[in-house]
Amino acid sequence: MRISIKRGSRDTKGLGLHSHRDRRKNRNRIGEQTIKRKSALFLAPSFIGVALFFVLPFIVVGFYAVVNNPIQHEFVFLDNFISVWNNSAFRLAAGNTFKFSVVSVPLVVVLSMMMAFALEQAIPWKSRFRSLLLSPMMVPIASVVLIWQVLFHYNGVVNEVFTYLGNDKIDWFKSDYAQVILVILFVWKNLGYNMILFMAAISNIPKEIIEVAQLESAKGWQIFFSIKLRYLSSTILFVTILSLINSFKVFREVYLLTGDYPYDSLYLLQHFMNNTFRSLDYQKLSAAAIIMSLFMVVIIGILFLTENYFGRDMEDA
């Protein structure tokens, strides 16, 4: 009889211990659910905003891209995409945009990184030089356009200098040099901001690793490519994507300089989009927008894969 009472008391204590653990687990589970609900409430406005202003319009664009027109809504599948792809204006605009981005984006990334490394050295007037490179960010677009018109107009400063040196005048915005001027404008406008981003990343490179490499008799180019460039891989990716996006925004300056239908080498994708929208050709506009979006997704995906390949050892470290 005594033995059974002792076993019962032990079982009772065990049940009490298990019930206490169960209650604690339930409290933790309820607490996690409460945190998730509160987080969902805080994130809900952002999700709703993204859904209304980004996801839903993209779905509408996708719908217009596969119908014959916004009124009849007859399904035509890929006919609009084929029509846009065979359009000579679209091919011209896409080719010009591609050539401009291929030249200007790597150029501004490399130059801004070189300027960041240069300003990390002990050079005179470093702060003034940094402020000078950042000044284009404070200049309004209208003022930028006015400066470029004063410089590269047919009767502008550059042609006056050319005439003084015995050369003929060039109508820069209607010549084969038009896109070169656009690249110079893009680099001048974006160099300073990208340089600041690289300077912030360079300051975060561990000095101890560089000192160890120097003690191991590593050369300067070995330290740059094996250490500094690896640690800058994520920043290079970010600056490249940012510059790629900004290369599509250069349409504002080109539009103010040359209007709706500029010289052939300055006719960009945004010109094609704007002119197609004016003609109310929504199905062609939607198909062109999706083609451009797919192209951007592929390019950004390649950049992410490249950064992941070159920067994975830095993450493991």
Side-chain angles (χ1 to χ4, degrees), residues 104-175:
S104 62
V105 172
L107 184 62
V108 74
V109 171
V110 172
L111 287 178
S112 58
M113 185 167 58
M114 291 173 59
M115 295 303 300
F117 277 112
L119 290 179
E120 285 294 315
Q121 308 299 320
I123 59 175
W125 296 352
K126 183 168 65 174
S127 60
R128 297 179 183 178
F129 193 59
R130 188 189 302 123
S131 301
L132 179 65
L133 290 174
L134 286 174
S135 59
M137 296 178 58
M138 300 177 287
V139 180
I141 295 176
S143 300
V144 172
V145 171
L146 180 61
I147 292 171
W148 248 245
Q149 285 177 338
V150 170
L151 289 175
F152 295 102
H153 191 266
Y154 187 76
N155 295 317
V157 176
V158 176
N159 277 334
E160 290 296 328
V161 174
F162 273 29
T163 304
Y164 179 78
L165 296 175
N167 298 315
D168 296 330
K169 290 184 177 181
I170 301 174
D171 194 352
W172 294 99
F173 297 113
K174 296 181 180 179
S175 67

Side-chain angles (χ1 to χ4, degrees), residues 54-226:
F54 292 96
V55 178
L56 184 60
F58 193 80
I59 294 174
V60 174
V61 168
F63 173 74
Y64 281 148
V66 294
V67 297
N68 61 340
N69 58 61
I71 298 175
Q72 296 178 349
H73 294 167
E74 292 183 5
F75 183 71
V76 295
F77 194 44
L78 296 178
D79 290 353
N80 292 327
F81 294 94
I82 296 172
S83 176
V84 169
W85 189 258
N86 294 328
N87 188 287
S88 59
F90 176 79
R91 285 178 173 270
L92 176 64
N96 289 336
T97 305
F98 178 76
K99 288 188 289 186
F100 172 74
S101 298
V102 165
V103 174
S104 62
V105 172
L107 184 62
V108 74
V109 171
V110 172
L111 287 178
S112 58
M113 185 167 58
M114 291 173 59
M115 295 303 300
F117 277 112
L119 290 179
E120 285 294 315
Q121 308 299 320
I123 59 175
W125 296 352
K126 183 168 65 174
S127 60
R128 297 179 183 178
F129 193 59
R130 188 189 302 123
S131 301
L132 179 65
L133 290 174
L134 286 174
S135 59
M137 296 178 58
M138 300 177 287
V139 180
I141 295 176
S143 300
V144 172
V145 171
L146 180 61
I147 292 171
W148 248 245
Q149 285 177 338
V150 170
L151 289 175
F152 295 102
H153 191 266
Y154 187 76
N155 295 317
V157 176
V158 176
N159 277 334
E160 290 296 328
V161 174
F162 273 29
T163 304
Y164 179 78
L165 296 175
N167 298 315
D168 296 330
K169 290 184 177 181
I170 301 174
D171 194 352
W172 294 99
F173 297 113
K174 296 181 180 179
S175 67
D176 295 334
Y177 303 102
Q179 199 162 107
V180 176
I181 299 171
L182 190 60
V183 170
I184 296 172
L185 170 62
F186 177 78
V187 172
W188 176 76
K189 187 91 172 134
N190 295 275
L191 183 64
Y193 182 70
N194 293 347
M195 180 194 67
I196 294 298
L197 294 177
F198 276 119
M199 290 181 66
I202 291 171
S203 63
N204 290 326
I205 298 176
K207 306 298 182 183
E208 298 82 5
I209 298 178
I210 298 177
E211 292 174 357
V212 171
Q214 291 173 346
L215 291 175
E216 294 292 335
S217 301
K219 297 180 180 179
W221 64 269
Q222 291 176 326
I223 295 175
F224 176 78
F225 285 103
S226 300

Side-chain angles (χ1 to χ4, degrees), residues 79-99 248 261 264 266-277 281 283-296:
D79 290 353
N80 292 327
F81 294 94
I82 296 172
S83 176
V84 169
W85 189 258
N86 294 328
N87 188 287
S88 59
F90 176 79
R91 285 178 173 270
L92 176 64
N96 289 336
T97 305
F98 178 76
K99 288 188 289 186
F248 284 86
Y261 297 95
D264 285 351
L266 291 180
Y267 189 76
L268 304 176
L269 269 175
Q270 289 82 357
H271 286 96
F272 177 80
M273 299 287 189
N274 191 43
N275 296 334
T276 306
F277 178 76
D281 196 349
Q283 60 273 13
K284 185 187 296 183
L285 176 65
S286 301
I290 291 179
I291 292 174
M292 187 175 69
S293 300
L294 292 176
F295 175 78
M296 291 289 292

